[in-house]
Structures are given as C-alpha cells and as structure tokens.
Amino acid sequence: GDSVTQMEGPVTLSEEAFLTINCTYTATGYPSLFWYVQYPGEGLQLLLKATKADDKGSNKGFEATYRKETTSFHLEKGSVQVSDSAVYFCALPNSGGSNYKLTFGKGTLLTVNP
Amino acid sequence: AAGVIQSPRHLIKEKRETATLKCYPIPRHDTVYWYQQGPGQDPQFLISFYEKMQSDKGSIPDRFSAQQFSDYHSELNMSSLELGDSALYFCASSSQTVGYTFGSGTRLTVV
C-alpha cells in the first residue's frame, strides 16, 4: 500500500540555520503530497502542499518540491527560527477525491535553539 | 472562520470505563475522519464518514464505534478502555473544494 518514509529526528539546529527534512513516498499514481506541523500541545496544521509533479508548495518560509523521478517531497527552510520548533509530518492521501484517509510519516521533531 | 470543534479537550478515564468523544465539523464539509495519535507516534486513521455513512475503516479496535448524526456531528465511543488507548484523538473534516482541516484533538488518559 501507499507509504511515507520520513527522516526521523530529533533534529536540533541553531537559529538561522538551514533546515532539510527528507520525505520519500511509495504510491500508486501521483497523489497530492502534504507537510503538516504540530506545535507542542496543539493539533495538526497544514503547512504546505503540492498537487502534481514539479509543483512547489511554500508557506512561512518553508518549501517542498514534488519530485516524481525521486518520489520525494523534502521540506526545506533557509533560516529557521525558535518559533519553528515543532513536529513535522509528511503525508499523502490513500485515494483520490475528497474522501481520503491520510498516511503520515513517523514525524520529525525539530528543536531550534536561540 | 469556523474550525473543527472537538470536545472535551482532555479526558481521564479508568480502565474498563467508557469514553465518548465528540466532533463538530466545519459547516458544509461532507466528510469526517477520526485519527488516533499515541505518544511520540504518527496519527493513525481510524474511521471516516461521508454524508453520515461510514466510508472507510482503518485500524479501529472492535471496542470502538463511531457514528455521524443528522446534524453532521460525529461521536467516537470507546468501551472497555485499556491503558494503551491513552492517546490524542483527532477529528478532521473535508469537502470537495476544501481540503482537510483538523480539530485540536482530545487527549484521553486511561489510568
């Protein structure tokens, strides 16, 4: 079945450092891809998404490019802030349409130190 | 803007008790989903409803049941609670034109 393999953390960076969190997927066809963020004690928030190959999703300085040839959707940010400390999940839907369940990666805990 | 509302936010139950979690989706969203997130784990899909009918089922124990009511709110019922049921339970809703929106979750602690 469809699956997501995500770089597991924890990842600890200093403020203004460059961030990469790797995510690769196995899926039938070309599903949409998502990154979700979970801040401490909170729910899941959609960070960004890409719906087709070569699409680049971006939000709050984070970017991820849908790479069909490498089945990857790596998350990057050029300069992290303390407020970016959270758990990041890569996810994909198991089927098309609006009625889909999401399969998540294991999550990567990011800690940014001042 | 209206969000997905879950209640209660926190719930403490004893082993073998029953718990009921409630979810109020965003108006006009036609699908509701339930997920379970254990400590330090990724969210796992439990069950979904489309227009009040069960549309998909994941790794949901037989001790759990769920339904969606005529006003579109959904309830997750968990009986004979076990320590391993302690987790964060998320509800999400979606529609054809708007993707997933998650609620803030209900943290269930079984003691």
Side-chain angles (χ1 to χ4, degrees), chain B residues 6-27:
Chain B
Q6 289 188 247
S7 68
R9 288 295 307 273
H10 302 274
L11 189 59
I12 300 175
K13 290 285 185 177
E14 295 187 355
K15 281 194 303 184
R16 292 180 289 279
E17 284 193 317
T18 297
T20 297
L21 278 52
K22 296 185 179 183
C23 170
Y24 298 85
I26 292 174

Side-chain angles (χ1 to χ4, degrees), chain A residues 38 44 87 89 104-107, chain B residues 36-44 90:
Chain A
Q38 185 174 30
L44 293 160
V87 180
F89 292 96
F104 291 86
K106 294 299 181 184
Chain B
Q36 177 192 55
Q37 185 181 24
Q41 302 296 313
D42 55 300
Q44 295 291 317
F90 288 111

Side-chain angles (χ1 to χ4, degrees), chain A residues 36 38 41-46 49 87 89 94-95 97-107, chain B residues 9 30-31 33 35 37 40-43 45 50 56-57 88 90 94-96 99-100 102-104:
Chain A
Y36 280 86
Q38 185 174 30
E42 297 187 13
L44 293 160
Q45 299 177 29
L46 178 64
K49 68 177 182 182
V87 180
F89 292 96
N94 273 46
S95 61
S98 68
N99 307 314
Y100 54 86
K101 56 188 175 185
L102 290 174
T103 294
F104 291 86
K106 294 299 181 184
Chain B
R9 288 295 307 273
D30 53 23
T31 308
Y33 313 79
Y35 287 81
Q37 185 181 24
Q41 302 296 313
D42 55 300
F45 171 75
Y50 172 70
D56 202 354
K57 200 171 180 181
L88 196 53
F90 288 111
S94 71
S95 69
Q96 285 279 1
Y100 261 67
F102 281 90
S104 297

Side-chain angles (χ1 to χ4, degrees), chain B residues 72-88:
Chain B
Y72 288 88
H73 94 274
S74 178
E75 294 184 3
L76 177 66
N77 296 291
M78 298 175 283
S79 62
S80 303
L81 287 169
E82 302 173 356
L83 295 178
D85 296 329
S86 295
L88 196 53

